[in-house]
């Protein structure tokens, strides 16, 4: 008979020695239990993948009528389910923004606020000092999908540990949390059940998109064009268990099940593929975490793999954030936080490594 290993045992055996924490305190015990639950889900997901079965729930979405797009009534019903915030934008993001502001290394600008609660959800961006039109200009965005934690925390980590090294060579603009309501509620959508990462286009209904596009336009009004834009995201198991079923219900279409890839990958632009730049990012990230393999059909999340760890979308047509600057180099990162080998630290560092790889390539190629 096979040896049965309990999820908490798998967790303990897989923890790095330098990540041990005390479970004697209440906080330590809760952290241990959360990590054990995450490890259990990851192990179950991996086992089902190996067996060729979907690890996700296929229950009908509880709001709306299958095949019928949502109206205002269904959107209100959906919002009522999101009334309790699950984490604090103030404690987890704004306090770090304040600490970074205090270093004096960057110019910090409030570029907007969400209309649902402007005092609670201000939007901030960091600019490197001594901007020069002769330098290449790079935008880094995080938290366009608020639930994708490492997009936000990875952008803040880059600002804390790495950004200053590049300020002599680049004009840097970093918006670490584009969707703070989504961050607090651990949601892909905003409070109107709109996906910000499909609404970077004229007449956008999204506060999050309108504010960022206005900020980008203010930079371009100074005669500065963007060379690169790295938009930091995650692909999680909840994409299949919650968010894609919700999308199908909202739009009145059939939910078609897929498998979330185990590993990091990039979504480039079909119009500006930049394969060497994407390879440089992948090579930088592989030093931190593993790269997602394609499935048996050569696909990653339903799209053909164009090179290792890369797929392509028509990003402007889809209204993706990565299209918002018109930069020659643009990509969307995708970290997989539910991997059995992932941790918060690894995910944040992977996002940071992606930005580093993107900037180092541009520097190595004469800033172009």
């Amino acid at each position: 008979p096979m040896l049965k290993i309990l999820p908490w045992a798998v967790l303990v055996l897989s923890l790095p020695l330098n990540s041990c924490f005390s479970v004697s305190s209440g906080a330590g015990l809760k952290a241990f239990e959360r990590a054990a639950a995450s490890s259990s889900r990851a192990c179950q997901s991996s086992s089902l993948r190996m067996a060729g079965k979907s690890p996700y729930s296929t229950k009908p979405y509880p709001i709306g009528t299958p095949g019928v797009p949502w109206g205002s009534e269904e959107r209100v019903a959906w919002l009522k389910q999101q009334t309790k915030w699950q984490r604090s934008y103030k404690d987890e993001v704004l306090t770090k923004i304040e600490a970074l502001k205090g270093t004096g290394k960057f110019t910090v600008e409030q570029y907007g606020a969400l209309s649902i609660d402007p005092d609670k959800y201000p939007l901030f961006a960091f600019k490197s000092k001594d901007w020069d039109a002769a330098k290449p200009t790079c935008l880094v965005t995080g938290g366009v999908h608020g639930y994708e934690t490492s997009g936000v925390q990875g952008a803040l980590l880059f600002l804390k540990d790495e950004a200053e090294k590049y300020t002599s060579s680049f004009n840097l603009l970093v918006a670490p949390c584009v969707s703070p309501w989504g961050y607090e509620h651990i949601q892909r959508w905003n409070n109107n059940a709109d996906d910000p990462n499909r609404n970077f286009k004229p007449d956008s209904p999204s506060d999050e998109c309108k504010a960022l596009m206005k900020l980008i336009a203010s930079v371009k009004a100074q005669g500065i064009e963007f060379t690169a834009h790295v938009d930091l995201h995650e692909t999680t198991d909840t994409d299949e268990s919650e968010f894609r079923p919700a999308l199908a219900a909202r739009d009145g279409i059939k939910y078609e099940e897929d498998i979330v890839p185990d590993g990091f990958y990039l979504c480039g632009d079909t119009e500006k593929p930049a394969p060497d730049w994407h390879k440089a990012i992948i090579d930088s990230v592989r030093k931190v975490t593993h790269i997602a393999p394609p499935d048996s059909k050569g696909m990653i999340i339903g799209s053909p793999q164009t090179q290792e760890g890369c797929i392509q979308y028509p990003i402007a047509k889809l209204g993706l954030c990565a299209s918002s600057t018109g930069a020659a180099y643009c990509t969307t990162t995708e970290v997989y936080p539910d991997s059995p080998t992932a941790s918060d630290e690894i995910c944040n560092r992977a996002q940071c490594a992606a930005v580093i790889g993107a900037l180092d390539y541009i520097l190595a190629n004469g800033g172009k």
Side-chain angles (χ1 to χ4, degrees):
M2 293 183 66
L3 176 65
K4 183 177 180 180
I5 302 178
L6 296 175
W8 59 264
V10 173
L11 171 72
V12 172
L13 290 170
S14 63
L15 279 174
L17 290 176
N18 62 2
S19 69
C20 293
F21 48 81
S22 169
V23 297
S24 59
S25 68
L29 181 58
K30 288 180 180 178
F32 186 87
E33 289 171 344
R34 286 196 301 270
S38 176
S39 177
S40 176
R41 289 193 300 271
C43 290
Q44 292 167 5
S45 174
S46 296
S47 297
L48 288 166
R49 291 168 193 272
M50 292 173 67
K53 300 177 182 178
S54 171
Y56 316 113
S57 169
T58 56
K59 295 178 182 178
Y61 200 73
I63 295 173
T65 302
V68 179
W70 288 1
S72 58
E73 182 179 339
E74 288 81 11
R75 287 177 183 252
V76 169
W78 175 85
L79 182 59
K80 285 181 178 179
Q81 292 188 345
Q82 321 301 323
T83 53
K84 184 178 179 181
W85 57 267
Q86 300 179 55
R87 58 185 176 185
S88 172
Y89 174 58
K90 179 180 178 181
D91 293 345
E92 297 185 16
V93 181
L94 292 182
T95 54
K96 292 183 179 180
I97 288 174
E98 284 300 314
L100 286 165
K101 187 188 300 185
T103 66
K105 297 176 181 177
F106 309 96
T107 300
V108 184
E109 174 183 342
Q110 182 177 342
Y111 67 91
L114 301 187
S115 59
I116 188 173
D117 193 334
D119 292 332
K120 189 175 183 180
Y121 300 121
L123 302 168
F124 290 97
F126 290 76
K127 292 180 69 175
S128 56
K129 295 186 175 181
D130 302 320
W131 272 45
D132 182 344
K135 295 179 185 177
T137 301
C138 177
L139 172 63
V140 178
T141 44
V144 173
H145 287 147
Y147 76 107
E148 295 169 1
T149 309
S150 71
V152 176
Q153 298 301 332
L156 291 169
L157 180 65
F158 172 73
L159 284 165
K160 174 177 172 287
D161 290 349
E162 303 292 343
E164 191 178 17
K165 302 171 188 175
Y166 292 93
T167 55
S168 63
S169 302
F170 287 91
N171 301 319
L172 293 180
L173 179 63
V174 181
C177 191
V178 174
S179 299
W181 184 91
Y183 185 88
E184 283 205 331
H185 292 81
I186 313 183
Q187 261 297 335
R188 180 182 180 89
W189 295 341
N190 65 13
N191 57 291
N192 294 316
D194 290 321
D195 185 338
N197 206 36
R198 296 297 183 275
N199 281 288
F200 281 88
K201 49 192 176 185
D203 301 319
S204 173
S206 164
D207 285 351
E208 297 85 351
C209 302
K210 287 187 287 189
L212 186 63
M213 289 190 292
K214 185 177 179 180
L215 175 65
I216 291 167
S218 72
V219 173
K220 291 189 172 186
Q222 302 171 39
I224 295 175
E225 293 297 326
F226 287 86
T227 301
H229 181 181
V230 182
D231 189 27
L232 307 179
H233 284 254
E234 293 179 345
T235 300
T236 73
D237 285 348
T238 52
D239 286 13
E240 291 295 326
S241 64
E242 165 63 23
F243 298 120
R244 290 189 68 244
L247 171 66
R250 187 197 66 182
D251 293 352
I253 59 177
K254 182 181 178 182
Y255 164 57
E256 296 187 1
E257 206 172 292
D258 206 342
I259 297 293
V260 173
D262 184 352
F264 178 93
Y265 66 100
L266 294 168
C267 298
D269 186 5
T270 53
E271 301 301 316
K272 304 171 186 175
D276 292 341
W277 184 64
H278 281 85
K279 181 181 183 302
I281 297 173
I282 290 292
D283 288 343
S284 181
V285 171
R286 79 165 82 249
K287 299 172 186 176
V288 177
T289 193
H290 58 292
I291 307 305
D295 63 21
S296 60
K297 297 179 181 178
M299 313 281 272
I300 295 177
I301 204 74
S303 294
Q305 178 176 258
T306 55
Q307 62 189 82
E308 184 189 13
C310 296
I311 59 175
Q312 293 175 2
Y313 289 155
I315 63 174
K317 182 178 179 181
L318 292 173
L320 303 192
C321 181
S323 71
S324 58
T325 61
Y329 296 110
C330 49
T331 198
T332 302
T333 70
E334 297 289 350
V335 166
Y336 180 51
D338 296 314
S339 173
T341 61
S343 68
D344 291 348
E345 180 188 1
I346 287 173
C347 292
N348 297 341
R349 286 174 52 218
Q351 300 283 23
C352 198
V355 180
I356 290 169
L359 298 179
D360 284 350
Y361 176 88
I362 294 170
L363 280 179
N365 286 271
K368 298 179 180 179

